[in-house]
Amino acid sequence: MTGFAVDGHSARAIVQLDRAVALTLLATVPIGRVVFSRNALPAIRPVNHFVEEDGRIIVRTRLTSRLTSAVRGNSDVVVAYEADEIDPHQRTGWSVVVTGLARPVTDPERIARYESLLHPWVDHVMNTVIEIEPSIVTGIRLVDKAA
């Protein structure tokens, strides 16, 4: 654990999370950010997600999105997925990053299931389902150092 003080606020400690705890926390929030390559540069998009019991992260996107184009262009694409829940006033919370291979889901039964679980949160048709297979899962929790 590492403590720090910022602007006179009491110190916080950083607690490293194991894979299971990190994925459990990820499943508690509806929105995260997917990081992928666009023209050899990093691109980031907010998306809603669902976490399967085996840790796969499922997102819906548009067929014409940059993310879909990146994943469709190659069968497996390395992406990062990040979500967090941090209280800016208390300076406590957690952050999880998953790095893994993204690929389109093509099985009609799985697509139908995910379409029923993931509803678009923007006014666009979300007609593509992508799964991210987690290879590296890291996470931290920011806690009050006195805790």
Side-chain angles (χ1 to χ4, degrees), residues 20-41:
V21 170
L23 289 171
T24 298
L25 287 171
L26 184 62
T28 67
V29 295
I31 296 174
R33 290 156 293 283
V34 63
V35 181
F36 58 99
S37 231
R38 177 179 168 201
N39 300 329
L41 296 172

Side-chain angles (χ1 to χ4, degrees), residues 38-54:
R38 177 179 168 201
N39 300 329
L41 296 172
I44 302 171
R45 293 289 179 268
V47 293
N48 60 338
H49 68 268
F50 174 78
V51 179
E52 283 286 11
E53 287 184 22
D54 65 2

Side-chain angles (χ1 to χ4, degrees), residues 102-118:
R103 65 182 63 89
V105 174
T106 57
D107 176 49
E109 288 181 20
R110 288 182 61 209
I111 291 171
R113 177 174 177 253
Y114 296 137
E115 286 176 344
S116 73
L117 293 170
L118 283 171

Side-chain angles (χ1 to χ4, degrees), residues 10-141:
S10 63
R12 299 290 178 258
I14 296 174
V15 177
Q16 299 296 324
L17 302 175
D18 68 27
R19 179 185 180 98
V21 170
L23 289 171
T24 298
L25 287 171
L26 184 62
T28 67
V29 295
I31 296 174
R33 290 156 293 283
V34 63
V35 181
F36 58 99
S37 231
R38 177 179 168 201
N39 300 329
L41 296 172
I44 302 171
R45 293 289 179 268
V47 293
N48 60 338
H49 68 268
F50 174 78
V51 179
E52 283 286 11
E53 287 184 22
D54 65 2
R56 282 177 296 132
I57 300 155
I58 310 300
V59 300
R60 285 181 66 193
T61 185
R62 295 185 327 270
L63 182 61
T64 59
S65 77
R66 303 283 186 186
L67 171 60
T68 303
S69 297
V71 172
R72 287 178 66 209
N74 300 305
S75 58
D76 291 341
V77 174
V78 175
V79 299
Y81 193 81
E82 189 271 343
D84 52 54
E85 190 171 85
I86 297 175
D87 181 320
H89 302 291
Q90 296 296 320
R91 298 179 184 212
T92 58
W94 57 267
S95 179
V96 170
V97 177
V98 174
T99 305
L101 296 175
R103 65 182 63 89
V105 174
T106 57
D107 176 49
E109 288 181 20
R110 288 182 61 209
I111 291 171
R113 177 174 177 253
Y114 296 137
E115 286 176 344
S116 73
L117 293 170
L118 283 171
H119 302 285
W121 56 284
V122 295
D123 188 21
H124 290 288
V125 173
M126 299 297 180
N127 51 8
T128 302
V129 178
I130 294 174
E131 69 179 357
I132 302 167
E133 183 180 325
S135 297
I136 302 169
V137 179
T138 60
I140 62 166
R141 187 184 301 269

